[in-house]
Amino acid sequence: MKLSTHIYIAISLIVLILMLISSITIGVFTGNSMRKKVEQALSETAFHMADKMDQFMWSRSGELYTISALEPMKTLDNVDEITELLNRLKLQFPSFSWIGVTDVNGTVIAATDDILKGGDISQRPVYQQGIKGEYIGDVHEAVLLADLLPNPTGELMQFVDISFPLTDNSGNTIGVIAAHLSWEWAREVRATVLEPIDNDQIEIFVVSAVDGSVLLGDEAQIGKMYESDKSRFIEASSIADGYLNYNGLNWTIYVRQDKTTALSSVHYLQWVIWSIGAVLFIVFVLLGRYYGKAISKPLDTLIKALDQARFGEKPALPTHKGVLEIERLSETLHELFDALNINMATINTLENVVNTDNLTGISNRTGLKNYFDLTTRHYKQLSVLSIDLDGFKQINDQYGHEAGDFVLCEVAKRLQMTIRDHEIVARIGGDEFVVLLIPNETPLDIGSLVARRIIDVINKPFIFHSFSLQVGCSIGCSSWNEGETLKIAIQRSDEALYRAKSAGKNRFEN
């Protein structure tokens, strides 16, 4: 076989193998990165949905409990006044389909729009459980109210029950206040969560913790067992396990997206890579065939450089002078590796964008999670600080969002000044920040020390143009211990933050 043929075959095989390795490596890396990004986004959506549902239930149960503590509920003598209170609550919060007050025997003595007034609900769980104490029941179909409430759509009516016992001033149980929440509120929450994203491509399901049936989702699946299809969908989930003093009904929130849609950009990138690879392969085959004889002498050095690239090393490509054909081949190989390096640099840049808050330049929720996953491989405890600015809304309202953005950026800089290089500050919401510290003492002691430092630096004025702006901050401190999730640790620090807010703001609580 002629030397030119050897060169032609050798160059063809080397270029083909190089392009295969490069395209497969980039495709796999990009596919995994994009999949993780989609999974993270779906996880955040599931958590957001669960959190909103828990906050909604906490608010409605709190409103009913507040009504139960009013003076007319201590005697049940003034039925007209009680009815007016119930109707006013329903008018203010239309998600209450029905609210009623019973005597101690379960007879309805007052109700919104007088529905079921005089009726006996003593056999219903909302009374039987409510007479014993606070009761929040899972989703169920309408029974007594099915034919009494307006239902213009004709769809199946579903409710969530809330009830509390009523006691007189001596502490004796004298009745029950009960309410049915229309399950329509869950659809409204879902619409709110899906509004900022492409809701035609993402599905949300709410699944009962009791029997695994679908409570909210595709209409054809409601009432059936939820079936995961990970061969077709990318899926994430979160548990609605309560908010503050509301314990939650442990609904499982599933959020999923069709793989074809979610990874469409990856498929397109793979197609581009293969197309470029095919074009480059053809180009090099033709060059090898045409210039085979001319490049036979320096071929050994070129093959050696390509072999280095093949096994992941940075190739030292030689530059040949004197023979035009060899110079062109050498230059083309340089351009090929430069293009591959640019692609990898672009991928690294995209990964940095995913982990960084666009406004402040510090880490976002994704960056916080990645830092947590890496750090907890080496440490068994962390200090966790949840920070919320006090008075920030007034700055936005009085000076505009430009001033608000300026304050957020300056706050981010000051927070970074209070921690060490190997610790992290992340912005996870509008004016909400989380700090993770690596303690050399007990986590709460370190958290308290840094919290005082943060309050001091945040309280200093911010000079925006000719204005001196002032904000404070409330901080909740907690610790993360080995075996726990980041979500649990942040939930504890959020509870401490709530206590700090309630105690007067611009302070910290453990």
Side-chain angles (χ1 to χ4, degrees):
M1 188 181 294
K2 294 181 179 180
L3 180 58
S4 59
T5 305
H6 278 287
I7 295 174
Y8 160 69
I9 294 174
I11 291 180
S12 300
L13 290 176
I14 290 172
V15 173
L16 177 61
I17 291 172
L18 182 61
M19 289 308 306
L20 283 173
I21 292 174
S22 301
S23 60
I24 291 173
T25 300
I26 294 174
V28 170
F29 181 84
T30 305
N32 291 338
S33 178
M34 181 61 70
R35 185 184 181 92
K36 289 180 180 179
K37 179 182 177 182
V38 172
E39 288 176 346
Q40 180 67 31
L42 295 179
S43 295
E44 291 182 2
T45 301
F47 174 81
H48 191 38
M49 177 73 178
D51 189 54
K52 276 187 170 291
M53 294 185 75
D54 281 336
Q55 289 193 40
F56 182 92
M57 290 296 296
W58 171 74
S59 297
R60 300 295 85 79
S61 62
E63 289 147 6
L64 199 65
Y65 177 77
T66 300
I67 289 290
S68 72
L70 297 178
E71 190 60 33
M73 301 297 180
K74 299 295 183 181
T75 62
L76 304 184
D77 292 335
N78 194 334
V79 174
D80 290 340
E81 186 177 0
I82 293 173
T83 301
E84 183 181 354
L85 283 173
L86 301 184
N87 284 328
R88 191 182 307 162
L89 180 60
K90 181 187 175 185
L91 181 63
Q92 187 174 3
F93 300 102
S95 53
F96 284 110
S97 293
W98 177 85
I99 313 171
V101 172
T102 76
D103 60 19
V104 73
N105 297 315
T107 300
V108 179
I109 63 173
T112 52
D113 302 321
D114 289 335
I115 295 175
L116 284 182
K117 183 175 181 180
D120 183 4
I121 64 169
S122 61
Q123 299 305 311
R124 302 301 302 157
V126 72
Y127 167 80
Q128 293 178 343
Q129 299 299 324
I131 198 73
K132 301 174 184 178
E134 177 185 356
Y135 170 67
I136 299 179
D138 211 337
V139 180
H140 65 87
E141 297 179 8
V143 180
L144 297 177
L145 296 173
D147 299 324
L148 300 177
L149 291 175
N151 186 13
T153 65
E155 296 179 355
L156 182 67
M157 300 177 68
Q158 293 179 299
F159 299 122
V160 177
D161 294 340
I162 304 175
S163 57
F164 292 92
L166 298 174
T167 59
D168 60 19
N169 290 323
S170 299
N172 300 313
T173 300
I174 60 173
V176 170
I177 183 169
H180 290 315
L181 282 173
S182 169
W183 188 233
E184 187 62 30
W185 68 266
R187 294 181 176 86
E188 295 172 359
V189 170
R190 179 180 63 180
T192 301
V193 171
L194 290 176
E195 184 178 357
I197 57 182
D198 187 355
N199 56 18
D200 291 331
Q201 304 296 337
I202 293 179
E203 298 178 283
I204 295 180
F205 294 84
V206 178
V207 176
S208 171
V210 177
D211 57 8
S213 62
V214 175
L215 303 175
L216 179 67
D218 187 282
E219 295 299 327
Q221 297 190 44
I222 290 181
K224 300 178 182 179
M225 297 293 291
Y226 178 78
E227 296 182 359
S228 178
D229 185 2
K230 294 187 177 180
S231 63
R232 180 183 171 191
F233 297 96
I234 298 177
E235 182 181 272
S237 64
S238 184
I239 304 296
D241 53 4
Y243 180 76
L244 298 180
N245 60 340
Y246 164 63
N247 294 325
L249 292 171
N250 291 314
W251 295 319
T252 301
I253 314 301
Y254 290 98
V255 181
R256 70 186 191 184
Q257 186 174 19
D258 186 272
K259 284 184 178 179
T260 303
T261 302
L263 301 178
S264 59
S265 60
V266 175
H267 298 153
Y268 175 74
L269 179 59
Q270 289 175 330
W271 179 85
V272 170
I273 291 172
W274 281 104
S275 298
I276 294 174
V279 171
L280 290 175
F281 174 72
I282 294 172
V283 169
F284 276 96
V285 166
L286 295 176
L287 287 175
R289 187 171 186 177
Y290 187 77
Y291 294 108
K293 291 182 180 180
I295 63 173
S296 59
K297 291 183 180 180
L299 183 61
D300 289 340
T301 56
L302 289 176
I303 292 176
K304 182 179 179 180
L306 291 172
D307 281 336
Q308 289 176 336
R310 178 183 173 188
F311 293 103
E313 301 177 12
K314 185 176 181 181
L317 285 173
T319 300
H320 294 280
K321 299 292 184 180
V323 180
L324 179 62
E325 290 81 3
I326 296 177
E327 290 180 11
R328 290 183 62 184
L329 177 58
S330 178
E331 290 170 1
T332 304
L333 288 174
H334 276 286
E335 291 172 0
L336 171 62
F337 283 100
D338 288 341
L340 293 175
N341 289 334
I342 290 173
N343 285 339
M344 294 303 296
T346 301
I347 291 171
N348 292 333
T349 301
L350 290 174
E351 186 177 14
N352 185 57
V353 170
V354 169
N355 290 289
T356 303
D357 177 54
N358 289 336
L359 176 63
T360 62
I362 63 175
S363 295
N364 57 16
R365 190 183 294 272
T366 301
L368 178 69
K369 181 63 168 59
N370 291 337
Y371 173 86
F372 173 83
D373 292 340
L374 180 63
T375 303
T376 52
R377 297 176 188 174
H378 309 288
Y379 296 94
K380 296 183 178 181
Q381 284 189 315
L382 297 174
S383 300
V384 182
L385 306 182
S386 287
I387 304 169
D388 189 82
L389 299 183
D390 301 323
F392 178 75
K393 183 178 183 300
Q394 289 87 334
I395 289 178
N396 265 340
D397 292 343
Q398 185 173 354
Y399 299 99
H401 288 286
E402 182 183 358
D405 291 347
F406 170 79
V407 170
L408 289 176
C409 292
E410 291 300 311
V411 166
K413 292 177 183 177
R414 294 185 184 184
L415 289 176
Q416 287 182 303
M417 294 169 57
T418 64
I419 64 172
R420 295 171 291 184
D421 290 341
H422 56 285
E423 297 169 332
I424 190 171
V425 175
R427 180 180 176 227
I428 63 171
D431 59 346
E432 300 171 15
F433 298 84
V434 169
V435 175
L436 297 184
L437 306 171
I438 299 174
N440 48 19
E441 301 177 24
T442 61
L444 289 181
D445 289 342
I446 293 299
S448 299
L449 178 65
V450 175
R452 292 189 184 95
R453 190 186 305 158
I454 289 173
I455 292 173
D456 288 340
V457 300
I458 297 301
N459 283 339
K460 294 179 181 179
F462 298 85
I463 306 303
F464 176 72
H465 298 318
S466 59
F467 301 103
S468 177
L469 309 180
Q470 193 84 33
V471 296
C473 66
S474 298
I475 304 176
C477 307
S478 72
S479 63
W480 169 84
N481 299 300
E482 186 177 22
E484 294 180 338
T485 64
L486 178 60
K487 175 184 174 182
I488 291 175
I490 291 180
Q491 187 174 22
R492 284 200 298 267
S493 62
D494 281 345
E495 291 171 356
L497 171 62
Y498 178 79
R499 292 195 299 273
K501 289 276 190 183
S502 300
K505 301 183 179 180
N506 204 35
R507 56 181 293 145
F508 72 90
E509 292 287 342
N510 292 323

